Amino acid sequence: MQITDIMAVQARYARCIDTDRLEEWPDFFLPDCQYRITTAENHRLGYAAGLIWADSRGMLQDRVAALREANIYERHSYRHLLGLPLVDGTGPEGTRSETPFIVARIMRDGATDLFATGRYLDLWRADEAGTPKLAERIVVCDSSRIDTLLALPL
Amino acid sequence: MPDHNLPAPVLATPPEAPWPPDQLTRVPYWVFQRPDVAALEQTRVFRGDTWNYLCLEAEIAEPGDYRATTLGGVPILAVRDHDGEIYAFENRCVHRGALIALEDFGKTREFTCVYHAWSYDLQGNLKGVAFKDGINGQGGMPDCFRMSDHSPRKLRTAVVHGLVFASASDTVPPIEEFLGEEILDRIERVLGGRQLEVIGRFTQELPNNWKLYVENVRDSYHASLLHLFFTTFELNKLNMKGGLIVSGSGGNHVSYSAIDREAEAKAKAASSEYAAQNIRSESEYRLKDPSVLEGQDEFGDGVTLQILSVFPGFVLQQIQNAIAVRQVVPRGVDRTDLHWTYLGFKDDTPELRLMRLKQGNLVGPAGYVSMEDGCVGGFVQRGVVGASDRHAVLEMGGSDAKSTRTRATEASVRGFWKAYRGHMGL
């Protein structure tokens, strides 16, 4: 797996969320996957709980369905800016990478704020077609603070 | 206890609308808007005759362990001394007012202010003043300066089933009395005799006055109306029974729901009948991975939800196996910090711990049944702009603030205002 393969998928991942195509978001993951949103402090201290904690693609699909059909929040969107992935090596379980991000949140009235900064700690495995899929994505936010709520995934 | 003989509070200007005494069904919007109300809350609520949650005992388990926390926004250090006791004092150097400790957690033998190196023992007593006797006989503090005359304000502390509370008041009743027996029992139900373990900490910044959040916590009426997750995925169980406990003071509450075993058996029989005749309507929405709801009845009483609040700003939550404490901290008239601490217990089986992590999805800033609470207070804060002479209407379930068997009531919200008005003298 080349760094450019990972970069290409990351670019699609960011566009998927930022253009409100959330139904496609779980497809970036393998069926048996880990997705968590946590904070640098929790990560450092080894605290296992997450803001979002999923251990299957089904849970990610459920998250999207809940956002669409059940949860109530003011309309908003994100703009993800991803840094270059640092590829941490490839082993039998896949390729590990770490990618910094910043996410701005744009509210329905236009108010734009820096919502989150952090890094993705990823484990990638290629699917049958050779496309990198996420076996694991741990979203480590730098700050322990979340403004108002976290609805859309990071 | 509320002191009704307090002198009339000094608000900078008269309130925009009167608040008839003893009326719990109306809350004027100016209480969420006025800086002078917020200032008065500091002395009469947070520093008044109340017990305020500081931290977990488990977070300061060993002598020398400290936790920098807050009481109503005022910086506080909670410390375990070598005598095994927990002490709490303001995190503020008596010299020039700087923070004494700059880390959220730590272990230390003493505290030394970075500004001029004045030092304190673990109980907050001033023990050292740098260059107290001057240098080469020049300068230094005057002879009449006594370190024992100077210390940060100290708080009384009390530990309840692993929760550390503090009070700035000398006249506050004992914590057991302040909580009331029914509240105490329900804290014990979740935490009693168990070794707590922190499994996560998050802070949610709320765009609203702190009272709008603590009202929301006590508002059992909104739960199935604002939070649609359970309804949408047809996870609501009609065979639930529940109720509401409001403490005598009004300020503390428990809202709970439990599986009604009898009704459950009936429902099962009925549903197999429905299934046999193939007439049951199917919702379009089903969870792809329903394991998130396969919780354990870890307390053996069938109670799947227990939300407990203590006046003014503490919450203990049990939603199935997701257990957390929440500390509500005012950060200005229209800003509030909500500190979540997710909990497990040392004796959790791996399966139960995994369930706590999965059910963490239900709660917190991204929680399926809690994210709305992060924004709804802001909707009120923005909605009442220009309406400080208007009021909220709290008549659901009557006009009192008493325990009831239904959750279609605002009794515990009225209870909060009963306690609040008592403390504030408003």
Side-chain angles (χ1 to χ4, degrees):
Chain A
M1 195 175 295
Q2 301 299 311
I3 187 170
T4 46
D5 299 330
I6 292 173
M7 290 165 69
V9 175
Q10 306 257 44
R12 290 185 183 284
Y13 181 99
R15 187 178 68 174
C16 169
I17 295 173
D18 295 354
T19 56
D20 194 30
R21 284 151 49 182
L22 294 184
E23 283 70 13
E24 298 167 24
W25 169 67
D27 296 336
F28 289 92
F29 294 81
L30 294 168
D32 183 13
C33 64
Q34 296 274 332
Y35 175 79
R36 286 199 286 271
I37 301 182
T38 186
T39 69
E41 187 195 62
N42 285 310
H43 189 69
R44 179 170 52 81
L45 294 171
Y47 292 159
L51 290 160
I52 295 178
W53 196 102
D55 64 356
S56 70
R57 187 160 69 191
M59 286 183 78
L60 302 180
Q61 290 164 332
D62 290 338
R63 174 67 59 174
V64 173
L67 292 177
R68 293 292 195 222
E69 306 300 334
N71 289 119
I72 294 167
Y73 48 91
E74 221 167 352
R75 185 161 48 79
H76 64 281
S77 63
Y78 289 160
R79 180 65 61 203
H80 280 72
L81 291 181
L82 306 188
L84 291 175
L86 185 156
V87 178
D88 248 352
T90 299
E93 51 176 10
T95 300
R96 291 202 174 269
S97 72
E98 177 177 332
T99 307
F101 65 81
I102 71 172
V103 173
R105 182 188 59 191
I106 303 93
M107 299 303 295
R108 70 181 169 99
D109 68 354
T112 303
D113 294 302
L114 182 58
F115 182 63
T117 70
R119 57 199 173 121
Y120 295 131
L121 304 182
D122 295 333
L123 177 63
W124 303 89
R125 281 200 285 273
D127 66 4
E128 298 79 25
T131 308
K133 296 280 180 184
L134 286 162
E136 187 177 296
R137 167 156 282 187
I138 314 299
V139 184
V140 182
C141 296
D142 294 321
S143 169
S144 297
R145 292 176 164 270
I146 295 291
D147 181 64
T148 308
L149 56 78
L150 188 149
L152 309 177
L154 292 170
Chain B
M1 283 292 102
D3 179 355
H4 295 285
N5 299 318
L6 288 171
V10 185
L11 297 180
T13 54
E16 290 83 345
W19 198 0
D22 300 324
Q23 187 190 49
L24 302 177
T25 57
R26 296 288 184 273
V27 177
Y29 294 133
W30 53 259
V31 291
F32 304 114
Q33 299 172 320
R34 294 179 61 120
D36 51 2
V37 169
L40 199 65
E41 286 166 353
Q42 285 296 319
T43 53
R44 294 198 176 168
V45 173
F46 296 104
R47 301 195 63 79
D49 288 347
T50 56
W51 287 96
N52 296 262
Y53 171 79
L54 289 186
C55 63
L56 300 170
E57 195 181 18
E59 292 174 318
I60 45 175
E62 303 290 327
D65 286 353
Y66 71 88
R67 169 90 160 100
T69 176
T70 172
L71 194 165
V74 175
I76 302 289
L77 286 171
V79 190
R80 173 90 64 174
D81 198 0
H82 293 278
D83 61 2
E85 298 295 315
I86 290 173
Y87 296 85
F89 50 92
E90 289 185 349
N91 183 6
R92 175 179 48 79
C93 183
V94 295
H95 177 216
R96 299 275 284 274
L99 292 171
I100 297 169
L102 302 175
E103 293 294 335
D104 293 334
F105 295 92
K107 194 179 191 67
T108 189
R109 295 173 60 182
E110 59 173 19
F111 295 98
T112 303
C113 175
V114 296
Y115 201 170
H116 303 88
W118 287 30
S119 60
Y120 301 86
D121 68 15
L122 298 179
Q123 300 183 17
N125 298 304
L126 179 61
K127 289 295 183 184
V129 170
F131 303 129
K132 183 166 173 289
D133 300 321
I135 299 171
N136 298 328
Q138 307 248 314
M141 299 296 278
D143 290 339
C144 61
F145 179 81
R146 295 280 171 276
M147 287 196 286
S148 57
D149 293 342
H150 301 265
S151 73
R153 283 190 290 200
K154 296 179 180 178
L155 308 174
R156 295 167 65 183
T157 62
V159 178
V160 178
H161 300 300
L163 308 171
V164 179
F165 288 86
S167 181
S169 162
D170 294 326
T171 54
V172 68
I175 187 139
E176 294 77 12
E177 191 182 314
F178 179 81
L179 294 170
E181 197 180 327
E182 290 178 298
I183 305 295
L184 202 53
D185 284 350
R186 267 110 188 136
I187 296 175
E188 182 177 20
R189 174 184 165 269
V190 180
L191 303 178
R194 307 185 70 176
Q195 277 191 290
L196 292 176
E197 212 168 79
V198 174
I199 60 171
R201 283 195 204 94
F202 304 98
T203 295
Q204 190 173 5
E205 298 180 345
L206 306 175
N208 53 263
N209 188 276
W210 69 278
K211 298 188 292 298
L212 290 169
Y213 185 76
V214 298
E215 267 194 320
N216 172 279
V217 166
R218 287 164 175 81
D219 176 0
S220 51
Y221 175 32
H222 85 284
S224 62
L225 301 171
L226 176 66
H227 307 303
L228 300 177
F229 177 77
F230 286 121
T231 314
T232 302
F233 293 96
E234 290 204 343
L235 306 168
N236 276 335
K237 293 179 180 152
L238 296 174
N239 50 333
M240 300 296 278
K241 57 183 182 181
L244 197 70
I245 298 165
V246 186
S247 69
S249 65
N252 315 323
H253 103 292
V254 177
S255 171
Y256 64 93
S257 55
I259 295 166
D260 185 338
R261 305 278 183 211
E262 220 169 277
E264 188 182 48
K266 277 186 200 157
K268 262 192 190 147
S271 76
S272 57
E273 257 168 52
Y274 279 120
Q277 299 177 40
N278 204 21
I279 55 174
R280 184 159 197 176
S281 69
E282 289 289 320
S283 157
E284 189 183 340
Y285 303 109
R286 283 286 181 275
L287 288 180
K288 290 244 188 328
D289 185 344
S291 66
V292 68
L293 294 161
E294 290 164 6
Q296 304 178 12
D297 184 10
E298 63 175 306
F299 303 104
D301 55 9
V303 174
T304 54
L305 175 143
Q306 177 186 294
I307 303 293
L308 180 152
S309 70
V310 176
F311 187 88
F314 172 75
V315 182
L316 169 64
Q317 152 227 305
Q318 176 233 331
I319 299 179
Q320 303 193 16
N321 301 122
I323 298 171
V325 295
R326 313 178 200 161
Q327 183 191 27
V328 182
V329 181
R331 290 291 179 200
V333 168
D334 58 0
R335 303 296 299 177
T336 300
D337 279 353
L338 178 60
H339 298 295
W340 296 79
T341 306
Y342 293 21
L343 299 176
F345 299 107
K346 284 229 174 10
D347 59 2
D348 284 349
T349 61
E351 295 75 24
L352 181 54
R353 182 59 62 93
L354 178 65
M355 192 46 61
R356 295 200 202 288
L357 300 177
K358 284 196 179 191
Q359 295 191 335
N361 285 294
L362 297 171
V363 300
Y368 285 137
V369 296
S370 72
M371 74 168 74
E372 291 88 2
D373 297 329
C375 60
V376 78
F379 298 164
V380 176
Q381 194 78 41
R382 282 148 59 193
V384 302
V385 167
S388 52
D389 60 340
R390 300 301 176 104
H391 51 251
V393 177
L394 299 173
E395 295 190 26
M396 184 60 56
S399 59
D400 62 13
K402 298 202 170 86
S403 301
T404 143
R405 301 297 296 175
T406 176
R407 295 200 293 148
T409 176
E410 290 167 318
S412 42
V413 183
R414 289 189 290 272
F416 171 80
W417 291 109
K418 178 181 160 189
Y420 178 85
R421 298 188 70 174
H423 285 281
M424 287 287 278
L426 280 173

